[in-house]
Amino acid sequence: MHYKIDEVKKYEYKELVNVWEASVRATHHFLKEEDILYFKPLILNTYLDAVELKSTKTESGKIIGFLGVAEQNLEMLFIHPEYRGKQIGKTLLNYSIEKMNVIKVDVNEQNEQAVGFYKKCGFEISSRSESDPSGKPYPILHMELKH
């Protein structure tokens, strides 16, 4: 299947947050409910505006995956859980590398599926932080694309 990648419009932000939340609930089992509720308004009101966003949609126009990039760093890549395993993440990641010059990504260490995905796609761990950028106790792996 071929997925078209589109610019994201501001009116689509709520839909992105819904994809983010569904994805996080399916993959970030280490997060507490209060963490999800803490991040949700930050994603909507702050984080989405801080990155260049791209999305992929179903034929009917429903967003099923998106990415956000800032300064060659893949800041976010989320796929709706109903659409995982269909090469959407790989398609978006390849787009970010080829068209947006991504060379780095930060990943929650406890999200082992994501760590494995990025390793398989050519990234390697360059360093580690004990906590996430919000100061929460979730270690972050800083990964860089191998050349």
Side-chain angles (χ1 to χ4, degrees), residues 74-137:
L74 182 63
E75 299 286 348
M76 45 185 91
L77 175 62
F78 293 97
I79 310 304
H80 193 283
E82 291 174 21
Y83 295 89
R84 284 179 55 207
K86 300 183 186 312
Q87 301 291 308
I88 297 167
K90 191 153 181 45
T91 300
L92 285 167
L93 178 62
N94 286 342
Y95 180 93
S96 75
I97 293 167
E98 292 164 16
K99 307 276 194 229
M100 303 170 83
N101 302 314
V102 161
I103 54 170
K104 298 177 288 185
V105 64
D106 293 339
V107 187
N108 287 101
E109 184 176 62
Q110 292 145 298
N111 187 351
E112 292 171 12
Q113 284 180 322
V115 173
F117 169 76
Y118 290 113
K119 282 183 176 177
K120 200 168 116 184
C121 292
F123 285 81
E124 55 189 30
I125 299 166
S126 58
S127 63
R128 180 182 183 272
S129 299
E130 274 301 313
S131 54
D132 74 10
S134 308
K136 293 191 177 287

Side-chain angles (χ1 to χ4, degrees), residues 45-98:
N45 301 315
T46 306
Y47 297 166
L48 293 177
D49 280 332
V51 294
E52 184 179 348
L53 293 162
K54 303 288 182 188
S55 72
T56 191
K57 301 174 182 175
T58 62
E59 287 181 7
S60 62
K62 176 182 160 194
I63 294 174
I64 55 176
F66 73 94
L67 62 77
V69 173
E71 297 170 13
Q72 295 184 292
N73 199 58
L74 182 63
E75 299 286 348
M76 45 185 91
L77 175 62
F78 293 97
I79 310 304
H80 193 283
E82 291 174 21
Y83 295 89
R84 284 179 55 207
K86 300 183 186 312
Q87 301 291 308
I88 297 167
K90 191 153 181 45
T91 300
L92 285 167
L93 178 62
N94 286 342
Y95 180 93
S96 75
I97 293 167
E98 292 164 16

Side-chain angles (χ1 to χ4, degrees), residues 5-23:
I5 297 173
D6 294 311
E7 301 283 331
V8 173
K9 309 285 188 277
K10 193 139 177 119
Y11 69 81
E12 295 175 310
Y13 279 15
K14 278 198 168 52
E15 195 177 352
L16 292 187
V17 172
N18 291 339
V19 171
W20 169 83
E21 184 173 3
S23 176

